[in-house]
Amino acid sequence: MSVLTTTPGATPADEEPPDAGERHRLTAVTGLAALSLDAMASVAYGPEAIVLVLAAAGANGLGFTLPVTLAIAALLAVLVASYRQVIAAFPDGGGSYAVARAHLGRRTSLVAAGSLVLDYVLNVAVAVTAGVAALTSAFPTLYDDRLWLCLVVLALITAVNLRGIVESAKAFIVPTVVFAGSILVLIAVGLFRSEPVSTATAAGHASVLSENATTVGALLLLKAFASGCSALTGVEAIANAVPSFRVPRARRAQHAEVALGAVLGVMLIGLSVLISRFHLQPVEGVTVLAQLADASLGHNWAFYVILFATMILLALSANTSFGGLPVLLKLLARDNHLPHVFALKADRQVHRHGVLALAVVSTALIVFSGGDTNTLVPLFAIGVFVGFTIAQVGMVRHWRTEHGPGWRGKALLNGSGGLLTGVAAVVVTATKFEEGAWLIVIALPLMVVAFEAVHRAYARIGERLGLGRIPEHPRRDRSVVIVPVSSLSRLTSEALTVAASLGDEVRAVTVCHPDPEDRSALHALECSWAEWDPGVPLVRLSSERRALGGPIAAYVRDVMASEPAARVTVLIPETEPERLWQRLLQNQRGAVVAHAVRKETDAVICRLRFRLF
């Protein structure tokens, strides 16, 4: 059951006829490149997260690296299978939000949406800072400029996405292929080696392996599993952005999801096997991936290719958020939980406001952290586990409702996945609570409250507008058009002509101040007006203070009080200069009058633009 209602005669999402906009959408290949960077790049820190936790139990703990990774790969398979079903059931995108909206209620769907929004925003900040951190590790002289480098990288990614999702996907195909190919080559070569070919990278660095601890308890394994699950971030991105694919959308998105799961699973398991084969130990200042590249390929040009590809992909993995979050914001706006501006789509199928909002919030996070990845990492990945769990539980309800073929097995699959991701969410939150996870615990409910507040505001607006009800028939009322003037010109003539076309009665008004200069100007205007004789009376409004908007608004109130059955319109004539900078030359009187009339009366305000070119 889809969240969207279908208009009679409308074409289902997967049977839409191709149009000119389809060329700006994704294929399975470009979709994999545009939306899988987050998941692909996670192999750079996922296996390391497992090793760092197990290192607390010494060499015995590291022996469980492969079993823990296999458990994570099994969960990955469950998630891929689940999200493949989510794509088919909810082709309008939205992922866990759409599932929860249909089967778990509005409040739960908002929790899912909030968790995804937080994860997407944090993913951008973490990805950019991590990529720049890799760059500054290779070139230490750039370390002091890391904040500006982060902002430049973010600006470039934003600019590419504003060009359109297809253009961004094409730009990221080469880095994705180079990174995935390099990792697969590293694994393939390493499997044929019985020992490391080089250990130069780790030489001279202190080991973080505990020498005293020997017991490997269930809690430690659970913590390692939860930490390693950070490698699963981004698996949901394709399901969130199904509308960005070409028709047939769901089928292409499913193919991209399966391809992502297969490549990611192979890389995670392969790297874990090499960690066990080479008996690698985590050391300070060197990543596990760098040690694996050194051990498998040697300390040569291939080593630097892998590190450089990792650095590039980490920075560009922010593109996953730029592909998925704007679609999610569109769905939230469509359901009246966010301003409707996020539902607008520019040319090239770009949700421009969503892209810009993501860029602005991510910029604030990067500036707040000073470009430091370690400040942001404790907040990362918690939201995605919440979304995973909600999506799995929602799909269990979906299968119980639909009762399709084999629904019990599918429900069991989703239920098992929901249990695993739920446990991971609890463990990650508990273990990282003091490191900053408490911010997510506070931010998530606040986001749900904000969504609810926007929804109530739209409900009140809809009630006042009578949305969903047939309105009264339109009628013609007597109308009075009031035109503020200060001098005679073509602008004055044009304004009175338009006013006469709009209303039954037209009145020109001018404000007079007690200064001799102003009185002289008023006298000259009245003489010119009498000589011109446009057939419209000129009303003098006296004001002791040098105010403009107030006297006109007071006169409009008097007219509305004396003629309650009449429709009063204030027509404000303004010039439209030829050059943008020439707007600085305008006196802004029109804006002052419009603000006063809008604030103090219910009159209709019409601003007439007179082009000077």
Side-chain angles (χ1 to χ4, degrees):
M1 185 175 80
S2 175
V3 180
L4 288 175
T5 55
T6 305
T7 306
T11 309
D14 264 13
E15 298 178 9
E16 295 178 16
D19 52 40
E22 288 298 304
R23 64 189 180 91
H24 295 300
R25 297 184 187 270
L26 299 171
T27 63
V29 175
T30 56
L32 185 64
L35 301 173
S36 69
L37 296 178
D38 179 16
M40 293 285 190
S42 66
V43 302
Y45 50 80
E48 183 162 5
I50 299 172
V51 170
L52 288 175
V53 173
L54 294 177
N60 290 340
L62 292 180
F64 287 87
T65 300
L66 182 56
V68 171
T69 303
L70 290 175
I72 293 173
L75 178 57
L76 171 63
V78 172
L79 290 174
V80 169
S82 174
Y83 276 105
R84 192 172 181 274
Q85 299 300 327
V86 171
I87 291 169
F90 299 92
D92 296 307
S96 59
Y97 169 70
V99 177
R101 182 76 171 80
H103 298 293
L104 300 178
R106 184 167 58 88
R107 186 67 58 83
T108 305
S109 72
L110 295 182
V111 174
S115 67
L116 286 174
V117 170
L118 290 173
D119 186 67
Y120 275 137
V121 173
L122 285 166
N123 173 58
V124 172
V126 170
V128 171
T129 55
V132 171
L135 177 64
T136 56
S137 297
F139 304 98
T141 56
L142 298 176
Y143 182 78
D144 292 336
D145 299 319
R146 64 189 185 280
L147 177 58
W148 291 107
L149 289 172
C150 289
L151 297 179
V152 169
V153 171
L154 179 58
L156 290 175
I157 297 173
T158 303
V160 170
N161 278 274
L162 288 174
R163 289 284 299 167
I165 192 167
V166 167
E167 279 70 14
S168 68
K170 291 177 179 178
F172 299 146
I173 284 179
V174 173
T176 304
V177 171
V178 170
F179 175 80
S182 299
I183 297 298
L184 294 176
V185 169
L186 182 157
I187 295 170
V189 173
L191 290 176
F192 287 97
R193 298 192 185 278
S194 58
E195 60 182 19
V197 67
S198 171
T199 58
T201 303
H205 293 267
S207 173
V208 299
L209 189 67
S210 176
E211 297 179 357
N212 299 323
T214 57
T215 303
V216 181
L219 184 60
L220 183 68
L221 292 176
L222 195 61
K223 185 177 179 180
F225 173 80
S227 297
C229 281
S230 61
L232 303 181
T233 57
V235 173
E236 79 292 347
I238 293 174
N240 292 337
V242 178
S244 299
F245 285 83
R246 295 180 186 176
V247 292
R249 309 201 195 290
R251 194 176 308 160
R252 291 182 187 274
Q254 286 178 323
H255 291 164
E257 185 74 43
V258 172
L260 169 60
V263 175
L264 181 58
V266 168
M267 289 194 296
L268 288 175
I269 295 174
L271 293 177
S272 178
V273 169
L274 293 187
I275 291 173
S276 300
R277 174 182 287 263
F278 296 143
H279 305 289
L280 289 187
Q281 300 178 6
V283 298
E284 295 180 357
V286 179
T287 65
V288 169
L289 184 61
Q291 291 188 66
L292 287 174
D294 195 21
S296 179
L297 303 174
H299 205 76
N300 49 33
W301 62 269
F303 169 82
Y304 288 101
V305 167
I306 288 182
L307 291 188
F308 187 74
T310 302
M311 176 193 70
I312 294 296
L313 205 74
L314 277 169
L316 298 184
S317 64
N319 196 65
T320 298
S321 295
F322 282 98
L325 182 60
V327 176
L328 176 62
L329 297 183
K330 179 201 73 172
L331 295 178
L332 286 167
R334 184 203 61 189
D335 293 336
N336 294 332
H337 294 300
L338 280 181
H340 288 170
V341 68
F342 289 108
L344 300 180
K345 186 180 292 186
D347 54 353
R348 298 177 180 270
Q349 304 296 322
V350 178
H351 295 286
R352 185 166 295 165
H353 294 90
V355 171
L356 292 175
L358 176 58
V360 169
V361 178
S362 301
T363 299
L365 279 175
I366 291 174
V367 172
F368 168 76
S369 67
D372 181 24
T373 307
N374 294 328
T375 304
L376 298 168
V377 166
L379 312 179
F380 189 45
I382 297 175
V384 75
F385 289 127
V386 174
F388 281 163
T389 304
I390 292 175
Q392 300 288 326
V393 174
M395 288 305 292
V396 172
R397 294 285 299 272
H398 173 77
W399 297 126
R400 292 182 62 182
T401 303
E402 295 296 326
H403 284 289
W407 71 272
R408 295 182 185 276
K410 296 176 181 178
L412 178 61
L413 180 68
N414 294 133
S416 302
L419 178 62
L420 291 174
T421 55
V423 170
V426 172
V427 172
V428 172
T429 304
T431 56
K432 297 184 178 181
F433 188 82
E434 295 183 356
E435 301 177 38
W438 59 270
L439 286 174
I440 302 299
V441 176
I442 295 175
L444 186 54
L446 289 179
M447 290 193 67
V448 174
V449 170
F451 292 152
E452 293 278 25
V454 172
H455 190 272
R456 286 194 299 270
Y458 274 124
R460 289 193 296 269
I461 294 171
E463 181 65 25
R464 294 290 299 273
L465 292 177
L467 296 179
R469 301 192 299 268
I470 299 177
E472 299 177 356
H473 286 287
R475 64 183 185 277
R476 178 176 176 81
D477 291 334
R478 167 177 158 72
S479 59
V480 178
V481 182
I482 299 172
V483 183
V485 299
S486 59
S487 62
L488 289 187
S489 64
R490 287 182 58 194
L491 178 61
T492 308
S493 175
E494 182 72 14
L496 295 181
T497 300
V498 173
S501 304
L502 293 175
D504 300 314
E505 180 183 353
V506 179
R507 303 178 190 179
V509 298
T510 188
V511 179
C512 174
H513 302 109
D515 297 349
E517 182 181 351
D518 291 323
R519 289 185 176 276
S520 176
L522 174 64
H523 179 69
L525 174 62
E526 289 179 331
C527 291
S528 300
W529 196 274
E531 181 181 353
W532 182 36
D533 190 20
V536 174
L538 178 63
V539 180
R540 177 197 300 184
L541 304 178
S542 299
S543 175
E544 294 299 323
R545 297 183 297 175
R546 297 198 63 84
L548 180 64
I552 295 177
Y555 178 74
V556 172
R557 285 200 307 271
D558 293 341
V559 173
M560 297 179 71
S562 61
E563 301 187 52
R567 298 280 183 172
V568 179
T569 300
V570 179
L571 180 67
I572 303 173
E574 298 174 301
T575 57
E576 181 75 19
E578 182 178 4
R579 305 293 183 186
L580 182 63
W581 68 267
Q582 292 174 344
R583 294 184 180 181
L584 299 174
L585 307 178
Q586 296 177 303
N587 54 33
Q588 306 301 322
R589 288 183 176 181
V592 172
V593 173
H595 175 74
V597 173
R598 182 182 296 109
K599 180 180 179 181
E600 302 181 25
T601 76
D602 293 329
V604 176
I605 299 174
C606 180
R607 302 182 73 168
L608 173 66
R609 301 285 185 178
F610 183 78
R611 294 179 178 270
L612 298 178
F613 52 94

Coordinates of all heavy atoms in Angstrom, one line a residue, residues 160 453 529 591:
V160 N 27.7 20.8 -7.6 CA 27.5 19.6 -8.6 C 26.0 19.1 -8.5 O 25.4 18.9 -9.5 CB 28.5 18.5 -8.3 CG1 28.1 17.3 -9.1 CG2 29.9 18.9 -8.7
A453 N 4.4 20.8 14.9 CA 4.0 22.2 15.0 C 3.7 22.7 13.5 O 2.7 23.4 13.3 CB 5.1 23.0 15.6
W529 N -2.2 68.7 -11.1 CA -3.3 67.8 -11.1 C -4.6 68.4 -11.7 O -5.3 67.8 -12.5 CB -3.6 67.2 -9.7 CG -4.4 66.0 -9.7 CD1 -5.8 65.9 -9.7 CD2 -3.9 64.6 -9.6 NE1 -6.2 64.6 -9.7 CE2 -5.0 63.8 -9.6 CE3 -2.7 64.1 -9.6 CZ2 -4.9 62.4 -9.6 CZ3 -2.5 62.7 -9.6 CH2 -3.7 61.9 -9.6
A591 N 7.6 50.0 -0.6 CA 7.7 48.9 0.5 C 7.2 49.4 1.8 O 6.6 48.7 2.6 CB 9.2 48.5 0.6

